[in-house]
Amino acid sequence: MTPRVLVAAAAERLGAAGVASPEHDAAELLAHVLGTTRARLPLVADVAADAEAAFDELIERRAARHPLQHLTGKAYFRYGELAVGPGVFVPRPETELLVGWAVDHLTHASGYPRSSAGLTAPVVVDLCTGSGVIAKSIAEEVPGARVHAVELDEPAHAWAERNLAGTGVDLRHGDAFTEFDDLLGTVDVVVCNPPYVPLEAWESVAVEARDHDPHLALFSGDDGLDAIRTLAVRAAALLRPGGVVGAEHADVQGESAPAVFAAQGSWEEVRDHRDLNDRPRFVTARRTARGARTGE
């Protein structure tokens, strides 16, 4: 059977199952089975019976709302890809904007990288690293930076180890909001994609995320802001005066997430940023020259 016929039939099955991008996912899964790319599928004249059977099995699992990335074993992010699977949060395209902000700050706003001139390289900390995607992207795009990352969940940490191997990132297994006492007051940039889904929003979370992403990476108290409140305190302690923090949040937290930083007392230039769909997506702030307030 030709790829076109197989993809069309599979897309119909996926659409009926509620998959948001049935044509894309069907083509991606067939390309995965055939060891090629979606763009090259038209060059395949006929799909062998064993490959067709493997494809059908993957379509059945995708129709059951297993994440596409778990089925292919990889996720694309900015300029590369990384390994993902059961036990780790699948990175979303929206997070690329947070990484872009951090990279822009490191390479332009503060004159980084500086290590080639023999000066101190910028220090970056990625809290709640999950798959390691943010740390990996920054390490690859800003080679002069000294990047540190931490993940508490053991299965997710194992994925981060795999993705960060050979990058030079200092990966630690521990609590994002107590780790790195050795870096207090020395960090230039803190980045974090924390859990931010309110517990009451359980039913509204996409099946792929709710049933397959670690709940530790999703839910954060009744209003979804518990981790962001802790982040506002811990980032202030980690950063040097003038250092900056960037944190992703839910699109309904465009006012409440910045308000957390504004109220904490250690921040100035608190600003929210919108994604490509013009939805609130992440907050940034600059550490004041005053002492961090760690008791809140």
Side-chain angles (χ1 to χ4, degrees), residues 11 61 74 85 101 186 233 237 249 293:
R61 294 178 64 192
K74 59 187 177 183
W101 164 82
T186 68
V233 175
H249 59 67
R293 292 163 58 184

Side-chain angles (χ1 to χ4, degrees), residues 104-214:
D104 183 67
H105 177 82
L106 289 162
T107 56
H108 297 107
S110 299
Y112 295 127
R114 300 178 298 173
S115 57
S116 59
L119 300 176
T120 302
V123 178
V124 181
V125 169
D126 174 22
L127 303 177
C128 308
T129 196
S131 65
V133 64
I134 293 179
K136 181 177 188 290
S137 296
I138 293 175
E140 291 176 345
E141 295 182 45
V142 191
R146 290 189 288 132
V147 183
H148 307 263
V150 60
E151 174 55 43
L152 176 62
D153 188 63
E154 190 167 343
H157 179 266
W159 285 104
E161 276 190 315
R162 178 175 175 180
N163 287 312
L164 295 175
T167 64
V169 173
D170 166 32
L171 173 65
R172 305 188 191 183
H173 187 195
D175 189 323
F177 304 126
T178 60
E179 191 62 59
F180 300 120
D181 278 353
D182 54 315
L183 298 178
L184 292 176
T186 68
V187 178
D188 297 289
V189 178
V190 170
V191 285
C192 184
N193 183 10
Y196 50 70
V197 179
L199 289 172
E200 65 182 19
W202 169 271
E203 293 297 336
S204 66
V205 177
V207 175
E208 287 86 345
R210 188 187 67 207
D211 293 352
H212 298 282
D213 281 334

